[in-house]
Every structure is written in structure tokens, then in C-alpha cells.
Amino acid sequence: MARAGALALLLLAAFVAHQAGADDAQASRSTAFALGLALIAAALAGEAAARVRLPRLSGYLLFGLAAGPYAANLITRPMARELTVLNDLAIALIAFVAGLELNLARLRPRLRAILALGLTTMALMFVVLVGTLWAAWPWLPIAPEASPLVRFAMATVTATLIVSFSPTVSIAVIAESRARGPLSELVMTVVVLSDLVLILLFALVLQFVRTASGVGADDIGLLPHLSWEIVGSLAVGAIVGALLAFYLKWIGREVTLVLLAVCGAISAAAHAWHLELVLTALAAGLVLENIASTRGDDLKHAIEAGSLPVLIVFFAAAGASLQLDALAGIGGLALGLAALRLALIRGGAAVGSRIARLPPDLGGTVWMGLVSQAGVTLGLASIVAAEHPTWGTQVQTLVIALTGLHVLAGPVLFRAALVRAGEVGAAAPEPREATSG
Amino acid sequence: MTAPYDATHVGQDPIDAQMAPPVAWWTRAFRRRAALGLRPLVAPLVVFVPLGFAAGPRGAGLLSETTLAHLDPIVSVALAGLGVLVGVTLGQRQPRGTPIVAAALEAGLTMVVVTAAFLFLLTRWGVPPAQSAIAVALLLGLCAASSAAAGHQTDGSLAADVADLDDLAPIVVGAVALAAVAAPGGGALAIRLVTTIATALLVAGAGWLLFERTSAAHERAVFVLGTLVLLGGIAAYLDGSPLASGLVAGLVWARLPGSADRVIAGDMARFQHPLLVLLLVIAGATIELAPAVIWIGAPLILVRVAGKLAGGWAARRAMPGQVGPDFGAMLIPPGIVGLALALNVTQLAPDLARWILGPVALAGIASEMLALYVIRTGDGP
């Protein structure tokens, strides 16, 4: 009751401020307003979601959606844009945490099974989606008059985008559910390794599209660029991880603050040097975990203290930025493709689990952790739109609509799977403090 | 009834005492000065403002104009946090009667002396133009009025009460002055002020409902952080004063039943130092190296000292026998509130900033240095 009262007061404060605020206020002036509102109100919404056994991050997302520009407009469009200032920091932090979870000694015996599951699922999804899209392309609202080869190229790039998973969301669900166990580890490893494969696949497919459509076909810098993106990211991340291990061993003070600064530096470096942000941060966490695992555990606890506000803002911003108009415009097609993707994930994971000889209970639920899609998919779609504005923008709209559906449904499914596997809350509990008075 | 004067009544302002630099290991060496009966050498202002200037766009360029623009929301949050600290401290101490009158006299007199002197000087010099000269003189007076008070006894002393309370007037009057500068016109000014206060009250109410009823430490930290960010954010959105917003919320938390004030003070301890250091560094980086820094800053040092001595004298007369003859000199160190107010001017009235921020920073650093030689703390080994 007190929390409902607090939420009502906050929303009233936001409403009053909106009524009195200048319409022409600089966007930067609204950043802290949007951040504060998102932090508290989304945290309360997350708690409400947890009460009805949904993931907290679904609550954060739904708050963003409800308060965002397409609904209550308490978070206006410029404010939603300003909220994304923390996006890169959040992604770096989440990937770093994922790296800390990847203990190679622990994973080595299961690596073959993990690769078999991930590659089979992706391959099956990719092949079926390319075939279906190519066959259905003349009836889709995306350049239906294209020649068969160009149509095939467009189908491959669209399929690549639809296949992708979201390490960010999957890892965030694991973190906020405090889950630990075979399913959490399997899903996390599969989505992280799939992210690597996807980047590689996307680069190759994009080159094929260039050749087929004749746009930018003479751009031969792609492979060196790709090599740099992968190898450079891993190298920079490894160096950062080693430096952090050194810091933790010899200094070890203000760990949360230093970690947030390091994640900020990683995201700045990724922008400046054209690195893959997820890979860089993941490599940093992985190196730290595997060369200084005890210190890595200390760090993990510090991260848990510092990451909650970043995650809340990240997902509230994602909710506020969901483009409902895209979903409304292309909703039927998006729903059809989402249903097909879900079926393919389920089928692909079933086949993959059999090849990987996973236990039936694990093989039967792993698909539920692969449904989410988020930032990486949107980022790749924007590259397609920028390179091929004639049809790429329509593909981007479709992908935005699909991502909107998957980012809402994915966490709910994954948490349900974690509950079924009995892994929720298996990690160390959050510290509680008695309050006086 | 208040106790008669003794040495322990000369106390360090507890608000500023909470703002010591977080790097205690390197300040430890300077504490030896206190053991010799001298003030500690390093005040945060003296260290971090020049550091910020050196790192800023006019220095090494590590903090570019673009970076500073991105940090603007953090400034609003830090200002709100500072306001909360002032509000909570004042609300918890609940000073009544004599100290309030003494602080009002002391701060008011300093404000009047500095404002009058600069009104005269700026009008004589003819820069900035007439209307701006009034605003600049008033804002310089407000920034000069707060003080940190020097010494070692922080709790329960009358001097500390006065030094706490003299932060109140600049924040309150500053909120009105800044709103007037940012939104000329009586109606708009009143609406802006009322809305800023009303939203601060609403956010404070929400915080009060949340803080005590949350037992998970991480979750409560989110609520505390979110409340501070929202206080600063709404004030900035309304072109109001985050300092005043924070002050209102801090007072509400201290006066409402329960322990919301203790919760916020405890949780704020985790990030108040980085925020305040950032505030000082940003202030340093924002300073424009213009001739005005010298030709306003130099007289400001002298006029502020004169104002504080006069204010101290008036306060002593309001509290006969309860503070020492050197009370005015004890109020020379400026603390952080004046500089925070100057930074708020930079946000709301950038046209006036070059007449305010640099001179206030210069005068603040000089006053801290001057205090080293004027004041003996009486600290023993």
C-alpha cells in the first residue's frame, strides 16, 4: 500500500513538472528527470511484476512502455532518447558479468554439447527462414519486384536478423532471478557463442547482399574489418581483464566505482576503435574469472550492488523506446514471423539437444531461454537500413516490430523455464539490512 | 539557555565536515598541522577545483565542452544531494531562537556588504550592463554568504549551528534570485517557485514512504539514488534550484516521524563523496579564464572577509558571551555551498556565469588559504 502511495506521488510529481515545464526545454535538461523517474517507478513496477511471478525486467519494460511516448507520455520522446545514455554502459556491464560466469575449466567438459546445441538450432532456423522468406517475398511489403538473386540476398540478411538471440536480456534475466544451475549456464553460453557466430554470419551475408544488389560490392575492407572487430575486441577485453585482475589483487578499493568506470571506458573504446562492445566486455570478464577467479567472485558481489540501477534504467529505456507504431503497421507479418521463429527455436533446440545428448528435462526447456531479442539485433538492422535505404528501412521496421514482441515475451518464457528447472534464487541471496525506527 | 563561550564552541560546520575528500590516506599527512594548532592544509575546494581547471577545456582538455555538457545532469543531482545534506543536518539539529537570529544577521550582513560593494564597483566600471550588474552583484553576495566555519568541534556548538544556518539563507534567497534571472516576470517566477517546491514535497513524500519500508539493501539504494536524481532532475527541468529542492526534501525527511533522514544519510554516504568531488572538478573545468576572474575575484576576497567580520561582530552581539571575539574570522572558510550556487548560476543563466563562477572559485580558494593563517584551531595531539 505504501509503495502504491509512493508511486502515485511520483507520478503526480512528474505530471505537475510536465505541466509547468517549458515545452522548449533542452533535451539534456530532462535527462536526470527521466532517469530518476525511471529508476524509482520502474523498480516499483519490477517488484509488482515479481509478485505475479513475472521477471522484474518485464516490469521495467512495461513501465517504460506505459510511461513512454506512445502511452502516458510521462517519458517523452526526447526523454526516452536521453535515457539511452546508459545503454552502452549497461550492455558492457551485462556482458562483463556474463564473462565472469564463464569458467573455462567448468565449461570444457560440456563445450561440445553446447556447440552442438547452439549451431544446430541456428543452422536449422537460418535455413528454414531463408527458404520461407525467399518463397514468400513477392507477397511481403518489402521490394516485392526484386530479382530472384536479390530476393535471395534480402531473405538471407533478414533471416540472419531474425535468428539472432539476445545475450543482454538472457543474462539480465539470470542475474535478476539470482539463478544458478545447468539451464542458466547452458543458455548463457549458447547465446554468447551465438552472438559471436551471428556477427560473423552477418558480415558474410552483408557482403553477399552487396554483391547481389551491386551496392557497395567493391568494398573489400569487410573481412579485415570483421577480423579486427572480433580479434581486436577479444584482445582489448583480455588486456582490460588482466589490468582489472591486477587492480583487484594489489589495490582492491572502491571496486564498484572502478568497475563502472571500466565499463564506461570499454564502451567508449568500442565506439572509438570500432570494436564489438559485447565481445570486449565479455572477454574482460572471462579473463578475470579465469586468471583470478577468487577476486572475480569478490567483484561479482560488488557488481550485484552496482548493476541494479543500471539494469532498471536500461530496460525502462528499452520499454519507452519500443516503437509501437512499427508494430501496429506491420503487426500481422511480425506476429506470423514471431510464431514461425518460436516454432523453429523449439524444433531446432529439440534436434540440437538430441545431438548434444542433453538430459530430457534440460533439452525440453532450453528453447525458452533463446526467445529474447534486443539491442544487437536492432543495431544490425540499422546497418542494413543505412546501407540499403530502398528496402533496408522496411526490413528494419519489421525487425523493430519483431524485437518488440520478443523483448516482452522472451524474459517471461525464460524465467518460467528457470522456475521449472528450480534454479531461481540458487545464487547467493541479496544482503538485507534491518532498518531502524 | 545556551552555554557560555568556551573554546569548543568554535566548531567546524558539520555539513562541510561531511564533505571531506574521500581520499583520506593522503590527507592524513596534513592533519599533523592540526596537531600543531594549525588548520588542516587541504580543503576539498583547494584541491579539486584547480584539478578540474587543469583537466578542463582551458587546461589539458581531458574534460571537453561536450563531456561537460553530458555531465550537466550529474551536476543537478549533486546539487540536490548537497541540498538534502543541508536540509537533513538542519532538520536533525533543530536550532531555535538565538542561532537563527545570529545566522540570519551574519549571512544577511555579508550578503548586503558584498552586494552593495559590487553594485557600486560594477556600476562604476560599467560592465556588465546595468540590469545584469544588479543580478551579478546579488548573486555574488549570495555565493559569499555561506561559510564552513573552522575548528574541530562539530556537534552541539553554537558556532556550528550558526555556520549551518548561514547556508540556509543563500539557498533560499538564491532559489528566488535564480528563478527570477531564469524566468523574468512575476507570474512565471511564482509558478516556477511553487512548482519546484511542490514537486520536491511530493518526491520527498514518496521517498519517506519507500525508504523505511525497504529492507533489501540494493533495492533501498536504488530508491535513495532515484529520489536524489529525481529531485535534481525535476528542478533542472523546471529551471529551478536543485539545491532548494534538496533542502526541502531533507527538511521533510528530518521532521517527519521515522528514520528516513538517517536512512538517506547512511545510504548517501556511499556516493556523496564521488558526487561532491565531481561537483568541484566540474566547477573547476567550467571556469572561463577571463580578466573578470581577477578583477571581480580579487575585490570579492576582500569584501567577503569584511562582510564575514562584520557579520561575525553582529552575530556576537546577538549571542553575548557565547562565542569568542574571533568568531567572524572563523567564518572565513567558504565551504562548498557558495560554489555550488555559482555552478547553478552557470546552468540557469550562462550569460552571467563568467562574472560569477570564476571569481567565486578564486575567492573560495583564497579564503581557504587565508583561513590557514588567520585561524588557530586549538587542536591538540
Side-chain angles (χ1 to χ4, degrees), chain A residues 2-3 6 9-10 13 16-18 20-21 29 31-33 36-37 39-40 47 304-305 308 430-433 435-437, chain B residues 25 73 195 199 202 205-206 209-210 212-220 222 226-227 229-230 233-234 236-239 259 347:
Chain A
R3 295 188 168 219
L9 287 177
L10 284 175
V16 170
H18 267 300
R29 277 284 149 80
T31 307
F33 180 10
L37 182 64
L39 254 178
I40 311 180
E47 199 177 86
E304 280 166 9
L308 186 60
E430 181 183 355
R432 301 181 87 78
E433 283 174 13
T435 49
S436 55
Chain B
W25 54 270
T195 315
T199 49
L202 288 170
L209 286 170
L210 289 172
E212 273 190 85
R213 292 160 183 84
T214 309
S215 57
H218 297 166
E219 197 185 3
R220 205 180 56 217
V222 166
T227 307
V229 174
L230 198 54
I234 290 186
Y237 186 72
L238 295 171
D239 282 345
S259 57
Q347 287 184 308

Side-chain angles (χ1 to χ4, degrees), chain B residues 92-176:
Chain B
Q92 285 175 336
R93 291 168 70 114
Q94 299 186 13
R96 289 174 200 282
T98 314
I100 294 178
V101 175
L105 270 174
E106 179 261 301
L109 205 54
T110 310
M111 218 183 301
V112 168
V113 167
V114 175
T115 304
F118 274 95
L119 204 52
F120 172 75
L121 287 174
L122 294 173
T123 314
R124 284 290 296 264
W125 294 333
V127 278
Q131 207 174 351
S132 298
I134 297 170
V136 168
L138 177 63
L139 291 168
L140 285 171
L142 288 167
C143 293
S146 76
S147 52
H152 67 283
Q153 188 75 28
T154 57
D155 294 323
S157 74
L158 209 54
D161 275 349
V162 173
D164 272 356
L165 284 164
D166 76 359
D167 291 337
L168 189 63
I171 293 178
V172 174
V173 182
V176 181

Side-chain angles (χ1 to χ4, degrees), chain B residues 217-265:
Chain B
H218 297 166
E219 197 185 3
R220 205 180 56 217
V222 166
F223 290 143
V224 169
L225 181 64
T227 307
L228 284 183
V229 174
L230 198 54
L231 282 169
I234 290 186
Y237 186 72
L238 295 171
D239 282 345
S241 162
L243 275 167
S245 268
L247 176 77
V248 168
L251 284 169
V252 167
W253 289 324
R255 302 308 287 264
L256 280 176
S259 57
D261 53 340
R262 290 193 291 281
V263 169
I264 193 131

Side-chain angles (χ1 to χ4, degrees), chain B residues 29-53:
Chain B
F30 296 108
R31 288 187 193 157
R32 296 190 188 285
R33 285 183 59 84
L36 300 172
L38 300 168
R39 285 194 71 233
L41 186 61
V42 178
L45 192 81
V46 178
V47 178
F48 293 109
V49 172
L51 202 68
F53 183 79

Side-chain angles (χ1 to χ4, degrees), chain A residues 247-259:
Chain A
Y247 177 86
L248 287 172
K249 181 167 183 185
W250 296 106
I251 303 172
R253 299 175 65 163
E254 300 288 352
V255 177
T256 309
L257 217 60
V258 168
L259 178 83

Side-chain angles (χ1 to χ4, degrees), chain A residues 133 137-146 150 154-155 157-159 161-162 323 325-327 329-331 333-334 337 377-378 380-403:
Chain A
L133 285 170
W137 204 270
W139 294 277
L140 298 183
I142 307 169
E145 72 293 341
V150 174
M154 291 188 292
V157 80
T158 310
L161 294 172
I162 296 175
Q323 297 181 20
D325 51 352
L327 196 57
I330 207 161
L333 177 62
L337 277 172
T377 314
L378 294 176
L380 298 181
S382 67
I383 294 174
V384 178
E387 273 203 19
H388 304 278
T390 48
W391 55 270
T393 42
Q394 289 149 302
V395 170
Q396 187 186 25
T397 308
L398 175 66
V399 169
I400 288 170
L402 275 171
T403 308

Side-chain angles (χ1 to χ4, degrees), chain A residues 165-363:
Chain A
F165 308 130
S166 171
T168 316
V169 175
S170 305
I171 294 161
V173 172
I174 293 169
E176 69 101 8
S177 306
R178 315 189 68 76
R180 183 161 289 178
L183 180 64
S184 321
E185 235 174 53
L186 181 66
V187 169
M188 188 159 55
T189 322
V190 166
V191 292
V192 165
L193 293 178
S194 302
D195 196 41
L196 266 175
V197 175
L198 180 87
I199 292 166
L200 192 68
L201 182 67
F202 179 76
L204 293 173
V205 163
L206 205 59
Q207 188 63 35
F208 169 54
V209 172
R210 285 170 184 160
T211 311
S213 62
V215 178
D218 51 348
D219 182 2
I220 54 165
L222 185 70
L223 280 177
H225 175 78
L226 179 69
S227 311
W228 166 246
E229 195 164 298
I230 292 178
V231 179
S233 302
L234 292 174
V236 170
I239 291 168
V240 172
L243 289 175
L244 250 181
F246 182 82
Y247 177 86
L248 287 172
K249 181 167 183 185
W250 296 106
I251 303 172
R253 299 175 65 163
E254 300 288 352
V255 177
T256 309
L257 217 60
V258 168
L259 178 83
L260 288 175
V262 165
C263 287
I266 288 176
S267 61
H271 271 294
W273 299 336
H274 305 289
L275 302 170
E276 227 294 302
L277 178 58
V278 173
L279 272 186
T280 312
L282 183 92
L286 191 131
V287 166
L288 188 59
E289 168 65 15
N290 289 280
I291 67 170
S293 58
T294 321
R295 297 288 170 176
D297 272 348
D298 292 346
L299 188 62
K300 230 178 286 176
H301 294 305
I303 288 169
E304 280 166 9
S307 62
L308 186 60
V310 180
L311 285 182
I312 291 173
V313 173
F314 176 66
F315 285 105
S321 308
L322 279 182
Q323 297 181 20
L324 292 186
D325 51 352
L327 196 57
I330 207 161
L333 177 62
L335 275 173
L337 277 172
L340 176 63
R341 180 175 180 270
L342 200 66
L344 287 172
I345 288 176
R346 188 158 192 179
V351 175
S353 301
R354 208 162 300 151
I355 294 172
R357 293 182 194 153
L358 290 177
D361 52 339
L362 196 56

